[in-house]
Amino acid sequence: MPEWRRIGAAAWSAAGPGRWARPLWSVLALLVAVAAAFVTEPMPVCSDAAPCGPDWIDPAQTALAIGVLCWNARLPELTLVAAPPLAFLIAAEQFPAPGTASGVANAAVLAALAFCWAAACDRLNARRRQRRVFERASGAVIRTLGPVSLPLPGKGRLVGGMALCAVAVAATLMGLRGVHVDEDRAARATRTEAEVTSRTDVSVRLRTHDGRRLDIESIYPEDHRLGATVTVLEDGSWRRLVAEPYDAFGWQLLALVAAVPGIFLSAAGFRALHRCPVRRRVGLPALRVRVAVDGEGKVRVHGLGEAGVRSPLFSVDMASYSVLDDDDGDGDDGEGGGEGGKGGAYDPGDDVDVEPLAFGVRRDAVLIGAPYEGAELVLVLPTGDGGPHPVVLLATARLLWGEGRVS
């Protein structure tokens, strides 16, 4: 079994994304720009000539902006997809005359989105580079896993995400239905002009030209000044102001709250299932590494040689674990790795020393699968009871930004 030595580890580290692409910087830049745009955005005033109306563009922008902020850290793929339409919506709908505070803030949002998109591209390109470097370092040793009783990662996330997306779709349809019902009733209603006599926090009091007194619910009563003339739509007991059509904000909010985590969980679950090494029936690169549990309880992976490459290369989040027992392995699923390659089910008993994985103490292990940001990996670790079958960890790779640089 080849070892991940210092030179190979240094090449893998050098192939990683630039530190400027760290999600923290792009998220901070976008967060500040979005906050500035929100504060400086002029508030529209509802009137008969310009009714407030149901707005679906702003909720879409909000959902995409929150999505990019939330998705950028773990799923740069979603940032790559979501950033361009958000930039288009801002440029087409929200960009006022240049030189205003709102215009400057929206220009900053576009610049931050470009930064997010460039950082996501760099991180995705780094994945391909690091995968190639690791596969070259592993040489001809390509292994496949034997029977391992591990739950498939991402299954629960995928189901939960799809359920949330279904809620978001249903909420959107309910909002559209409410708008349609309101428009249909407004088309049949009679129009009555009235004067605003007083206001409360939730309504306006009106006096019609024939002397009737009306108390109409209002979402924006402050937009209707005292003494102004407004138009009321009446259909039996149903009344509303022409300036304030049906407000689908409640349904839009539910759709937003469900869609942002729903899309994330669906994409993360699909990616985990797609990359799961337990499901893959093709050969996987494998190298001997050194692992240690840090003070936060995370397993950090080091290279071998020269004090084990003092800085850890990356850490892993453990999804599940099991004990590898390939007594029933048929050895037919593996692919030969070329000259010297060993196909079939992988038995790590000859490659891993059986000794406890103590806190803070580095121990040899076998890393199966090419590591990069978000990669699904298998770590074969020694057991503490001296048993013949090491522990198998199914884990997700996490880059250590600011660490893990090998020179």
Side-chain angles (χ1 to χ4, degrees):
M1 171 66 65
E3 297 178 345
W4 204 6
R5 309 296 294 184
R6 183 181 183 87
I7 295 178
W12 179 89
S13 179
R19 293 187 180 180
W20 65 271
R22 182 175 184 175
L24 175 64
W25 310 136
S26 53
V27 167
L28 283 178
L30 183 59
L31 183 62
V32 171
V34 167
F38 178 79
V39 171
T40 59
E41 182 180 1
M43 296 299 294
V45 177
C46 301
S47 67
D48 290 358
C52 292
D55 184 6
W56 295 95
I57 300 298
D58 279 352
Q61 289 180 354
T62 302
L64 288 173
I66 295 175
V68 172
L69 288 170
C70 297
W71 304 332
N72 196 41
R74 293 293 181 88
L75 286 172
E77 301 96 326
L78 288 182
T79 300
L80 216 61
V81 173
L86 177 56
F88 173 79
L89 288 176
I90 292 174
E93 299 289 336
Q94 296 293 333
F95 215 98
T100 64
S102 182
V104 173
N106 280 291
V109 173
L110 293 177
L113 285 173
F115 182 35
C116 288
W117 195 85
C121 285
D122 187 64
R123 290 162 64 191
L124 293 176
N125 289 330
R127 291 180 182 181
R128 292 188 286 269
R129 295 194 301 265
Q130 289 184 309
R131 183 170 59 245
R132 288 196 297 267
V133 169
F134 187 86
E135 289 172 351
R136 285 198 298 267
S138 67
V141 179
I142 304 294
R143 311 284 189 177
T144 56
L145 292 171
V148 182
S149 57
L150 287 171
L152 294 178
K155 200 172 183 180
R157 282 176 286 176
L158 182 59
V159 172
M162 292 179 67
L164 287 173
C165 288
V167 171
V169 172
T172 302
L173 292 176
M174 290 300 294
L176 291 172
R177 179 179 179 276
V179 172
H180 174 73
V181 170
D182 178 79
E183 290 176 345
D184 185 62
R185 196 156 194 179
R188 301 194 308 265
T190 59
R191 302 167 70 93
T192 303
E193 291 188 347
E195 180 184 353
V196 179
T197 58
S198 63
R199 298 177 303 197
T200 68
D201 292 338
V202 294
S203 66
V204 291
R205 294 190 174 96
L206 310 173
R207 183 177 62 246
T208 65
H209 295 324
D210 58 5
R212 288 186 299 149
R213 303 283 181 172
L214 303 177
D215 195 348
I216 308 295
E217 292 185 0
S218 175
I219 302 173
Y220 310 103
E222 66 278 1
D223 289 352
H224 310 290
R225 58 185 178 81
L226 298 179
T229 299
V230 297
T231 304
V232 180
L233 295 174
E234 296 184 277
D235 183 18
S237 61
W238 178 85
R239 296 185 180 93
R240 76 160 172 84
L241 297 172
V242 168
E244 298 184 15
Y246 173 79
D247 185 13
F249 176 76
W251 293 116
Q252 291 171 339
L253 181 61
L254 177 58
L256 187 153
V257 170
V260 172
I263 293 173
F264 173 80
L265 290 174
S266 299
F270 176 80
R271 188 183 70 172
L273 285 172
H274 176 69
R275 295 178 178 174
C276 178
V278 175
R279 292 180 67 249
R280 296 179 64 182
R281 314 310 295 174
V282 298
L284 296 168
L287 286 176
R288 283 169 59 92
V289 296
R290 191 155 290 167
V291 296
V293 178
D294 64 11
E296 299 177 354
K298 292 184 179 180
V299 177
R300 299 205 170 193
V301 179
H302 300 252
L304 291 172
E306 299 196 26
V309 185
R310 291 181 177 83
S311 297
L313 297 166
F314 60 93
S315 68
V316 295
D317 292 339
M318 292 174 286
S320 57
Y321 70 92
S322 182
V323 175
L324 186 63
D325 184 356
D326 71 334
D327 293 341
D328 299 327
D330 54 18
D332 294 334
D333 294 325
E335 295 181 3
E339 185 178 353
K342 179 182 177 182
Y346 173 52
D347 180 1
D350 297 332
D351 298 308
V352 180
D353 298 329
V354 179
E355 52 187 348
L357 183 64
F359 168 76
V361 178
R362 297 179 187 176
R363 295 288 183 255
D364 284 359
V366 173
L367 174 64
I368 301 177
Y372 51 84
E373 182 188 8
E376 300 294 330
L377 307 170
V378 168
L379 272 175
V380 183
L381 305 176
T383 56
D385 58 4
H389 302 297
V391 174
V392 179
L393 293 179
L394 188 60
T396 303
R398 300 282 179 237
L399 292 187
L400 298 171
W401 297 93
E403 299 182 60
R405 296 289 172 174
V406 183
S407 56

